[in-house]
Amino acid sequence: MAIIGGKNIKELVGTVVSTKMNKTLTVKVDTVKMHPLYKKRYIRSKKYYAHIDDNSNISVGDVVKIRAYRPTSKLKRWIYVETIKKVQK
């Protein structure tokens, strides 16, 4: 959670899966959960659609940070914030 303007805004870190759509990127976020009975940890992943500007040069495999934002389309509720790690080509 980031505090922006006195509000708690959710931020997630994930890897870019697709950049084929216009002004949109698909980010896969992995979370580690624990089974309530057996206490075994397992990984859950979920894909989010995030809005980007035209001047961003993002490629598949980059680790990025996204932030919750007002709905911009049917599925987009997140906005691209920054690139944390670039992928080596």
Side-chain angles (χ1 to χ4, degrees):
M1 293 271 197
I3 299 175
I4 299 171
K7 297 180 181 179
N8 287 332
I9 302 204
K10 188 175 232 182
E11 289 185 338
L12 299 174
V13 176
T15 58
V16 177
V17 177
S18 174
T19 59
K20 294 180 181 178
M21 294 177 276
N22 290 335
K23 297 185 180 182
T24 304
L25 59 94
T26 307
V27 179
K28 185 178 92 169
V29 176
D30 293 328
T31 57
V32 178
K33 300 211 172 212
M34 186 176 287
H35 192 277
L37 178 62
Y38 300 114
K39 308 300 184 205
K40 180 177 174 150
R41 286 175 282 170
Y42 58 96
I43 297 174
R44 283 280 184 202
S45 61
K46 187 172 180 183
K47 288 196 283 188
Y48 296 95
Y49 295 102
H51 179 76
I52 57 171
D53 295 330
D54 290 334
N55 58 2
S56 300
N57 55 353
I58 301 168
S59 58
V60 176
D62 291 349
V63 178
V64 296
K65 183 187 286 186
I66 57 174
R67 178 180 298 145
Y69 194 62
R70 62 178 175 82
T72 54
S73 70
K74 180 181 176 183
L75 297 174
K76 285 198 287 188
R77 272 91 173 109
W78 299 86
I79 189 167
Y80 164 79
V81 177
E82 65 178 336
T83 302
I84 296 174
K85 185 173 126 181
K86 293 287 285 182
V87 67
Q88 297 291 336
K89 293 191 177 189

PDB file of all heavy atoms in Angstrom, residues 5 8-11 13 23-24 40 44 46 48 53 57 60 73 84:
ATOM      1  N   GLY A   5      -1.655  11.318  -1.331  1.00  0.00           N
ATOM      2  CA  GLY A   5      -2.699  12.294  -1.036  1.00  0.00           C
ATOM      3  C   GLY A   5      -3.543  11.923   0.170  1.00  0.00           C
ATOM      4  O   GLY A   5      -4.720  12.230   0.224  1.00  0.00           O
ATOM      5  N   ASN A   8      -4.743   5.344   1.099  1.00  0.00           N
ATOM      6  CA  ASN A   8      -4.011   4.110   0.882  1.00  0.00           C
ATOM      7  C   ASN A   8      -4.367   3.571  -0.497  1.00  0.00           C
ATOM      8  O   ASN A   8      -5.522   3.244  -0.757  1.00  0.00           O
ATOM      9  CB  ASN A   8      -4.367   3.062   1.940  1.00  0.00           C
ATOM     10  CG  ASN A   8      -3.764   3.392   3.283  1.00  0.00           C
ATOM     11  OD1 ASN A   8      -2.744   4.036   3.352  1.00  0.00           O
ATOM     12  ND2 ASN A   8      -4.399   2.942   4.340  1.00  0.00           N
ATOM     13  N   ILE A   9      -3.376   3.456  -1.365  1.00  0.00           N
ATOM     14  CA  ILE A   9      -3.603   2.977  -2.720  1.00  0.00           C
ATOM     15  C   ILE A   9      -2.800   1.700  -2.906  1.00  0.00           C
ATOM     16  O   ILE A   9      -1.612   1.647  -2.600  1.00  0.00           O
ATOM     17  CB  ILE A   9      -3.202   4.046  -3.750  1.00  0.00           C
ATOM     18  CG1 ILE A   9      -4.004   5.301  -3.488  1.00  0.00           C
ATOM     19  CG2 ILE A   9      -3.350   3.516  -5.154  1.00  0.00           C
ATOM     20  CD1 ILE A   9      -4.208   6.241  -4.564  1.00  0.00           C
ATOM     21  N   LYS A  10      -3.442   0.658  -3.422  1.00  0.00           N
ATOM     22  CA  LYS A  10      -2.823  -0.644  -3.566  1.00  0.00           C
ATOM     23  C   LYS A  10      -1.829  -0.651  -4.723  1.00  0.00           C
ATOM     24  O   LYS A  10      -2.126  -0.160  -5.810  1.00  0.00           O
ATOM     25  CB  LYS A  10      -3.893  -1.701  -3.802  1.00  0.00           C
ATOM     26  CG  LYS A  10      -3.382  -3.110  -3.775  1.00  0.00           C
ATOM     27  CD  LYS A  10      -4.518  -4.079  -3.891  1.00  0.00           C
ATOM     28  CE  LYS A  10      -4.397  -5.044  -2.758  1.00  0.00           C
ATOM     29  NZ  LYS A  10      -5.396  -6.075  -2.761  1.00  0.00           N
ATOM     30  N   GLU A  11      -0.638  -1.210  -4.479  1.00  0.00           N
ATOM     31  CA  GLU A  11       0.380  -1.377  -5.507  1.00  0.00           C
ATOM     32  C   GLU A  11       0.801  -2.826  -5.539  1.00  0.00           C
ATOM     33  O   GLU A  11       0.898  -3.475  -4.498  1.00  0.00           O
ATOM     34  CB  GLU A  11       1.598  -0.492  -5.226  1.00  0.00           C
ATOM     35  CG  GLU A  11       1.347   0.966  -5.438  1.00  0.00           C
ATOM     36  CD  GLU A  11       2.596   1.808  -5.281  1.00  0.00           C
ATOM     37  OE1 GLU A  11       3.549   1.339  -4.624  1.00  0.00           O
ATOM     38  OE2 GLU A  11       2.621   2.924  -5.803  1.00  0.00           O
ATOM     39  N   VAL A  13       3.532  -5.804  -7.614  1.00  0.00           N
ATOM     40  CA  VAL A  13       4.736  -6.017  -8.412  1.00  0.00           C
ATOM     41  C   VAL A  13       4.580  -7.354  -9.117  1.00  0.00           C
ATOM     42  O   VAL A  13       4.228  -8.362  -8.505  1.00  0.00           O
ATOM     43  CB  VAL A  13       5.999  -6.022  -7.531  1.00  0.00           C
ATOM     44  CG1 VAL A  13       7.226  -6.351  -8.346  1.00  0.00           C
ATOM     45  CG2 VAL A  13       6.152  -4.689  -6.834  1.00  0.00           C
ATOM     46  N   LYS A  23      -1.626   0.571 -25.741  1.00  0.00           N
ATOM     47  CA  LYS A  23      -1.651   1.269 -24.448  1.00  0.00           C
ATOM     48  C   LYS A  23      -2.044   0.365 -23.283  1.00  0.00           C
ATOM     49  O   LYS A  23      -2.550   0.830 -22.266  1.00  0.00           O
ATOM     50  CB  LYS A  23      -2.588   2.477 -24.505  1.00  0.00           C
ATOM     51  CG  LYS A  23      -2.156   3.534 -25.490  1.00  0.00           C
ATOM     52  CD  LYS A  23      -3.052   4.736 -25.402  1.00  0.00           C
ATOM     53  CE  LYS A  23      -2.602   5.781 -26.392  1.00  0.00           C
ATOM     54  NZ  LYS A  23      -3.413   6.985 -26.303  1.00  0.00           N
ATOM     55  N   THR A  24      -1.827  -0.937 -23.416  1.00  0.00           N
ATOM     56  CA  THR A  24      -2.190  -1.890 -22.362  1.00  0.00           C
ATOM     57  C   THR A  24      -1.083  -2.919 -22.224  1.00  0.00           C
ATOM     58  O   THR A  24      -0.514  -3.362 -23.214  1.00  0.00           O
ATOM     59  CB  THR A  24      -3.507  -2.608 -22.705  1.00  0.00           C
ATOM     60  OG1 THR A  24      -4.516  -1.643 -22.924  1.00  0.00           O
ATOM     61  CG2 THR A  24      -3.935  -3.532 -21.586  1.00  0.00           C
ATOM     62  N   LYS A  40       0.889 -26.061   4.083  1.00  0.00           N
ATOM     63  CA  LYS A  40       1.817 -26.075   2.963  1.00  0.00           C
ATOM     64  C   LYS A  40       1.649 -24.783   2.168  1.00  0.00           C
ATOM     65  O   LYS A  40       0.537 -24.331   1.919  1.00  0.00           O
ATOM     66  CB  LYS A  40       1.547 -27.265   2.057  1.00  0.00           C
ATOM     67  CG  LYS A  40       2.479 -27.319   0.880  1.00  0.00           C
ATOM     68  CD  LYS A  40       2.255 -28.523   0.022  1.00  0.00           C
ATOM     69  CE  LYS A  40       3.139 -28.403  -1.190  1.00  0.00           C
ATOM     70  NZ  LYS A  40       3.559 -29.654  -1.706  1.00  0.00           N
ATOM     71  N   ARG A  44      -0.121 -18.784  -6.006  1.00  0.00           N
ATOM     72  CA  ARG A  44      -1.285 -18.420  -6.806  1.00  0.00           C
ATOM     73  C   ARG A  44      -0.854 -17.275  -7.710  1.00  0.00           C
ATOM     74  O   ARG A  44      -0.149 -16.366  -7.268  1.00  0.00           O
ATOM     75  CB  ARG A  44      -2.438 -17.934  -5.924  1.00  0.00           C
ATOM     76  CG  ARG A  44      -3.158 -19.028  -5.247  1.00  0.00           C
ATOM     77  CD  ARG A  44      -4.111 -19.648  -6.231  1.00  0.00           C
ATOM     78  NE  ARG A  44      -4.886 -20.670  -5.554  1.00  0.00           N
ATOM     79  CZ  ARG A  44      -5.477 -21.652  -6.175  1.00  0.00           C
ATOM     80  NH1 ARG A  44      -5.391 -21.765  -7.464  1.00  0.00           N
ATOM     81  NH2 ARG A  44      -6.161 -22.531  -5.505  1.00  0.00           N
ATOM     82  N   LYS A  46      -2.214 -14.360 -10.746  1.00  0.00           N
ATOM     83  CA  LYS A  46      -3.359 -13.687 -11.326  1.00  0.00           C
ATOM     84  C   LYS A  46      -2.851 -12.659 -12.323  1.00  0.00           C
ATOM     85  O   LYS A  46      -1.808 -12.032 -12.104  1.00  0.00           O
ATOM     86  CB  LYS A  46      -4.176 -12.997 -10.231  1.00  0.00           C
ATOM     87  CG  LYS A  46      -5.472 -12.409 -10.713  1.00  0.00           C
ATOM     88  CD  LYS A  46      -6.301 -11.912  -9.560  1.00  0.00           C
ATOM     89  CE  LYS A  46      -7.593 -11.323 -10.105  1.00  0.00           C
ATOM     90  NZ  LYS A  46      -8.416 -10.768  -9.058  1.00  0.00           N
ATOM     91  N   TYR A  48      -3.340  -9.120 -14.436  1.00  0.00           N
ATOM     92  CA  TYR A  48      -3.976  -7.816 -14.378  1.00  0.00           C
ATOM     93  C   TYR A  48      -3.668  -7.054 -15.665  1.00  0.00           C
ATOM     94  O   TYR A  48      -2.570  -7.165 -16.208  1.00  0.00           O
ATOM     95  CB  TYR A  48      -3.445  -6.993 -13.196  1.00  0.00           C
ATOM     96  CG  TYR A  48      -3.765  -7.585 -11.851  1.00  0.00           C
ATOM     97  CD1 TYR A  48      -2.867  -8.408 -11.188  1.00  0.00           C
ATOM     98  CD2 TYR A  48      -4.966  -7.313 -11.225  1.00  0.00           C
ATOM     99  CE1 TYR A  48      -3.158  -8.949  -9.947  1.00  0.00           C
ATOM    100  CE2 TYR A  48      -5.264  -7.842  -9.976  1.00  0.00           C
ATOM    101  CZ  TYR A  48      -4.352  -8.657  -9.359  1.00  0.00           C
ATOM    102  OH  TYR A  48      -4.645  -9.186  -8.129  1.00  0.00           O
ATOM    103  N   ASP A  53       1.488   4.600 -21.080  1.00  0.00           N
ATOM    104  CA  ASP A  53       1.590   5.677 -22.042  1.00  0.00           C
ATOM    105  C   ASP A  53       2.332   5.186 -23.279  1.00  0.00           C
ATOM    106  O   ASP A  53       2.916   4.111 -23.291  1.00  0.00           O
ATOM    107  CB  ASP A  53       2.329   6.873 -21.430  1.00  0.00           C
ATOM    108  CG  ASP A  53       1.550   7.484 -20.288  1.00  0.00           C
ATOM    109  OD1 ASP A  53       0.310   7.413 -20.329  1.00  0.00           O
ATOM    110  OD2 ASP A  53       2.183   8.025 -19.363  1.00  0.00           O
ATOM    111  N   ASN A  57       8.910   2.061 -22.957  1.00  0.00           N
ATOM    112  CA  ASN A  57       9.485   0.932 -23.701  1.00  0.00           C
ATOM    113  C   ASN A  57       9.588  -0.258 -22.753  1.00  0.00           C
ATOM    114  O   ASN A  57      10.579  -0.455 -22.083  1.00  0.00           O
ATOM    115  CB  ASN A  57      10.839   1.299 -24.311  1.00  0.00           C
ATOM    116  CG  ASN A  57      11.810   1.821 -23.282  1.00  0.00           C
ATOM    117  OD1 ASN A  57      11.444   2.038 -22.136  1.00  0.00           O
ATOM    118  ND2 ASN A  57      13.035   2.019 -23.671  1.00  0.00           N
ATOM    119  N   VAL A  60       8.360  -8.009 -22.775  1.00  0.00           N
ATOM    120  CA  VAL A  60       7.895  -9.179 -22.036  1.00  0.00           C
ATOM    121  C   VAL A  60       9.016  -9.688 -21.138  1.00  0.00           C
ATOM    122  O   VAL A  60      10.165  -9.810 -21.561  1.00  0.00           O
ATOM    123  CB  VAL A  60       7.445 -10.278 -23.012  1.00  0.00           C
ATOM    124  CG1 VAL A  60       7.057 -11.545 -22.265  1.00  0.00           C
ATOM    125  CG2 VAL A  60       6.285  -9.789 -23.860  1.00  0.00           C
ATOM    126  N   SER A  73     -11.360   0.942 -18.851  1.00  0.00           N
ATOM    127  CA  SER A  73     -12.103   0.143 -19.824  1.00  0.00           C
ATOM    128  C   SER A  73     -12.784  -0.991 -19.065  1.00  0.00           C
ATOM    129  O   SER A  73     -12.838  -0.987 -17.836  1.00  0.00           O
ATOM    130  CB  SER A  73     -11.176  -0.402 -20.914  1.00  0.00           C
ATOM    131  OG  SER A  73     -10.330  -1.384 -20.377  1.00  0.00           O
ATOM    132  N   ILE A  84      10.906  -2.036 -12.484  1.00  0.00           N
ATOM    133  CA  ILE A  84      11.827  -2.359 -11.399  1.00  0.00           C
ATOM    134  C   ILE A  84      13.072  -3.050 -11.948  1.00  0.00           C
ATOM    135  O   ILE A  84      14.189  -2.752 -11.549  1.00  0.00           O
ATOM    136  CB  ILE A  84      11.131  -3.238 -10.340  1.00  0.00           C
ATOM    137  CG1 ILE A  84      10.006  -2.431  -9.699  1.00  0.00           C
ATOM    138  CG2 ILE A  84      12.108  -3.751  -9.311  1.00  0.00           C
ATOM    139  CD1 ILE A  84       9.150  -3.198  -8.751  1.00  0.00           C
TER     140      ILE A  84
END
